[in-house]
Amino acid sequence: MENKLRIYNTLTRKVEQFIPNEEGKVAMYTCGPTVYHFAHIGNLRSYIMEDLLEKTLRYMGYDVKRVMNITDVGHLSSDADTGEDKMLKGAKREHKTVMEIAKFYTDAFFADCGDLNIKTPDVVEPATNCIPEFIHMIEGLMEKGFAYESGGNIYFDTSKLKEYYVLSNHSEEELLVGVREDVDEDENKRNKTDFVLWFTKSKFEDQELKWESPWGTGYPGWHIECSCISMKHLGEYMDIHCGGVDNIFPHHTNEIAQSEAYLGHKWCNYWFHVHHLNDKAGKMSKSKGEFLTVSLLKEKGYDPRVYRLYCLQSHYRKPLEFSFEALDNAVAAFDKLTKRIGSLRKDEGAVEPEKFDAWKARFQAVLCDDLNSSMALTVLYDMLKEDMSDATKDALAEDFDRVLSLDLTTAYAQKESENGVDAELEAYVLERIEERKAAKKARDFARADEIRAQLLEKGIVLEDTREGVKWKKA
Ligand code: AMP
Ligand code: ZN
């Protein structure tokens, strides 16, 4: 591991060298989707960039264990524990049970991830699988004096902490504005930043899923699930925790509060946050009604991998504004790039190990620079222009694709076979066209004519046009 990853850490607000707790191993956690609706392409921007992070770590040689929850209970329509449970809202909308909704949208989420070449985390755990663990942790917090019962619910007492706002330096008022969309101030709270660990008697009497607990029948709050599920699978120390920037407050702030209060020591060292995908009206969100999904992109004829490329073209720490115009540019870039790579003559020459290593090091270096994915693409383009064997280029493209996951070496052949064109034949024809061009340049017109005749024998007709040489089957 020669190149060392440097990554922006929300906790320290700077780009830092990434040093995991255990050498060579990374314990990674990602906040999973709330499965009451389809994921929109904004949510999926976060998952694409987190996938890039995981694959970069693996590319660097780390043994990564990545865990993700599925939020199927407890996430209310305002992140500040007010409003209706999102799952219940989804179930009512579709006249189904909460569990039916959860299953349907969990499957839909992983189908989208499949289309975007996002790897499934090593462990995926729905919140409803872990109720005993949540209860156990809440009991621990009660015993340590960090939680209290009020109005039938159990709350975390943020006033017991030395510092609550560890992840952000904004003022309390500013932060609370963001989560106040449909706030009814909860009068049971002792401090306004306290949050619910367990709901029992509350205004959500019609909650479909309820469990017995020492405090009465009820259901868990949203934040407790991520602390518990990560500890269940990764233990008491975690290296890196991911999510979109909207998770910084209150969700991740509350996760840190309860986890460190419970454990009595620092819990997670690096916090990785992906900035939002916005549309012209602002942040894309599920609750705003109309939103863009992968299925919709597919219906409109877009290959989902084009959206992945679109995301990779910008840095994860910059907001990204979505437009179909920009996506169309990514379509052209994807087609050109995969065609260029698909037309490489794999068996032309041997792989040149020194060149291979040098380009690999360049690629790794830009990724290690706080995941500079647009520069990683530039390295790929530059590599394709380098004077070296096609075999080397093909091997490098395949290697880079372990991280980029754009199917760089296969997308073109796949497309051509779908369109009924033989990619091998096309690669051969393009090679002969290049040869003919070189012959003409050298004023060897006899050779140029010979190539044209040879192609004709194979049923290929060349046409010299103003835009260059075109070919078709005779
Ligand atoms: P949710 O399903 O609402 O719990 O969100 C799933 C993930 O998507 C979380 O990590 C959010 O932070 C993230 N997210 C939500 N909206 C956006 C957006 N517009 N752009 C990027 N990520 C988002
Ligand atoms: Zn979470």
Side-chain angles (χ1 to χ4, degrees):
M1 288 182 217
E2 203 190 304
N3 276 302
K4 288 274 171 17
L5 177 64
R6 291 178 59 75
I7 194 99
Y8 183 81
N9 186 357
T10 312
L11 196 59
T12 55
R13 292 171 209 117
K14 43 180 200 263
V15 176
E16 292 183 327
Q17 184 150 339
F18 177 74
I19 305 167
N21 285 309
E22 211 180 316
E23 210 189 320
K25 288 193 171 176
V26 177
M28 177 174 178
Y29 184 84
T30 300
C31 290
T34 309
V35 283
Y36 72 110
H37 219 318
F38 291 107
H40 57 63
I41 59 171
N43 300 126
L44 290 160
R45 180 191 190 199
S46 285
Y47 294 108
I48 288 171
M49 300 321 272
E50 290 160 2
D51 184 64
L52 177 78
L53 170 65
E54 178 187 348
K55 286 176 179 163
T56 298
L57 289 165
R58 292 187 191 276
Y59 189 75
M60 307 267 307
Y62 287 110
D63 177 7
V64 180
K65 180 170 178 190
R66 180 164 173 209
V67 178
M68 185 173 86
N69 67 308
I70 298 286
T71 300
D72 54 0
V73 68
H75 193 172
L76 307 188
S77 44
S78 158
D79 286 354
D81 298 333
T82 59
E84 206 175 355
D85 183 303
K86 290 187 177 187
M87 293 302 299
L88 199 62
K89 208 163 149 182
K92 277 191 196 155
R93 185 187 62 230
E94 299 185 21
H95 308 291
K96 291 195 179 128
T97 65
V98 165
M99 282 337 263
E100 281 167 348
I101 288 283
K103 165 134 188 39
F104 179 80
Y105 288 114
T106 302
D107 291 349
F109 172 75
F110 285 112
D112 289 346
C113 288
D115 283 340
L116 293 163
N117 287 345
I118 295 171
K119 179 184 167 297
T120 303
D122 305 288
V123 179
V124 176
E125 180 96 66
T128 50
N129 267 7
C130 304
I131 304 298
E133 285 93 335
F134 303 158
I135 292 175
H136 182 73
M137 185 165 168
I138 298 167
E139 280 176 323
L141 288 168
M142 292 283 271
E143 273 162 33
K144 290 183 180 189
F146 282 103
Y148 61 92
E149 191 166 353
S150 176
N153 299 330
I154 307 297
Y155 293 87
F156 185 89
D157 187 346
T158 52
S159 70
K160 294 277 157 63
L161 298 168
K162 272 199 215 100
E163 198 190 351
Y164 171 62
Y165 294 108
V166 285
L167 274 184
S168 51
N169 51 4
H170 296 283
S171 75
E172 193 163 309
E173 279 306 312
E174 239 180 276
L175 285 163
L176 286 171
V177 168
V179 293
R180 264 200 188 152
E181 285 166 14
D182 42 10
V183 171
D184 280 327
E185 207 55 72
D186 180 347
E187 295 188 347
N188 296 325
K189 290 182 184 182
R190 287 186 194 157
N191 313 289
K192 63 180 166 188
T193 48
D194 291 355
F195 53 92
V196 180
L197 297 166
W198 188 267
F199 291 100
T200 59
K201 256 192 248 105
S202 68
K203 59 181 176 165
F204 317 115
E205 294 293 349
D206 58 349
Q207 182 71 4
E208 202 179 292
L209 298 175
K210 292 180 194 171
W211 294 266
E212 290 305 315
S213 85
W215 318 284
T217 311
Y219 62 100
W222 170 38
H223 316 294
I224 195 79
E225 66 178 86
C226 288
S227 293
C228 267
I229 292 174
S230 65
M231 282 181 213
K232 177 174 173 184
H233 298 286
L234 299 170
E236 291 189 10
Y237 295 90
M238 202 201 309
D239 295 304
I240 191 157
H241 191 309
C242 321
V245 277
D246 58 310
N247 283 161
I248 296 175
F249 185 85
H251 185 48
H252 290 167
T253 304
N254 292 349
E255 277 189 44
I256 295 175
Q258 66 202 2
S259 299
E260 298 194 350
Y262 178 75
L263 295 169
H265 60 70
K266 189 169 177 189
W267 172 50
C268 175
N269 291 332
Y270 299 87
W271 288 81
F272 174 87
H273 290 108
V274 181
H275 280 250
H276 282 151
L277 181 79
N278 300 315
D279 53 24
K280 289 216 163 63
K283 180 196 162 217
M284 209 170 270
S285 83
K286 289 188 211 180
S287 48
K288 266 203 281 178
E290 275 279 294
F291 56 83
L292 290 169
T293 59
V294 167
S295 317
L296 193 75
L297 292 187
K298 280 164 74 176
E299 265 167 42
K300 287 180 182 283
Y302 292 98
D303 180 331
R305 294 171 296 190
V306 164
Y307 179 63
R308 184 174 176 106
L309 174 63
Y310 178 75
C311 290
L312 295 179
Q313 285 168 338
S314 348
H315 196 255
Y316 75 91
R317 275 202 296 125
K318 288 199 183 120
L320 179 60
E321 189 175 307
F322 180 80
S323 73
F324 279 103
E325 214 179 2
L327 193 64
D328 287 337
N329 291 336
V331 171
F334 183 77
D335 286 348
K336 203 166 160 203
L337 180 63
T338 50
K339 182 169 181 178
R340 171 83 184 88
I341 295 169
S343 310
L344 290 169
R345 292 151 295 175
K346 284 187 194 183
D347 38 16
E348 190 259 31
V351 176
E352 299 154 82
E354 274 162 32
K355 291 203 165 158
F356 182 93
D357 290 347
W359 280 100
K360 191 178 162 91
R362 279 177 72 172
F363 182 70
Q364 214 175 67
V366 293
L367 287 172
C368 284
D369 179 15
D370 195 21
L371 289 191
N372 195 338
S373 52
S374 66
M375 274 308 289
L377 291 169
T378 304
V379 171
L380 169 66
Y381 284 114
D382 289 348
M383 179 279 282
L384 291 168
K385 284 189 227 139
E386 167 94 353
D387 182 17
M388 58 188 175
S389 71
D390 273 13
T392 313
K393 292 182 188 180
D394 184 71
L396 279 163
E398 200 168 317
D399 184 69
F400 294 0
D401 209 41
R402 286 167 51 203
V403 177
L404 302 175
S405 293
L406 293 166
D407 298 333
L408 289 173
T409 56
T410 54
Y412 182 57
Q414 181 198 347
K415 186 173 166 194
E416 295 304 277
S417 76
E418 279 162 15
N419 293 345
V421 178
D422 178 346
E424 290 238 340
L425 175 72
E426 169 144 21
Y428 169 76
V429 175
L430 292 178
E431 179 192 341
R432 306 309 307 241
I433 290 175
E434 284 306 311
E435 229 179 278
R436 181 167 167 266
K437 243 202 259 170
K440 277 171 119 180
K441 207 169 160 199
R443 310 195 68 74
D444 186 353
F445 298 111
R447 174 75 187 131
D449 287 345
E450 192 186 357
I451 293 168
R452 178 194 281 277
Q454 282 170 350
L455 283 173
L456 197 57
E457 258 173 47
K458 289 190 185 278
I460 303 296
V461 183
L462 295 189
E463 220 183 308
D464 292 305
T465 74
R466 259 197 244 168
E467 290 85 42
V469 183
K470 300 221 161 115
W471 67 277
K472 59 180 184 202
K473 287 189 181 167

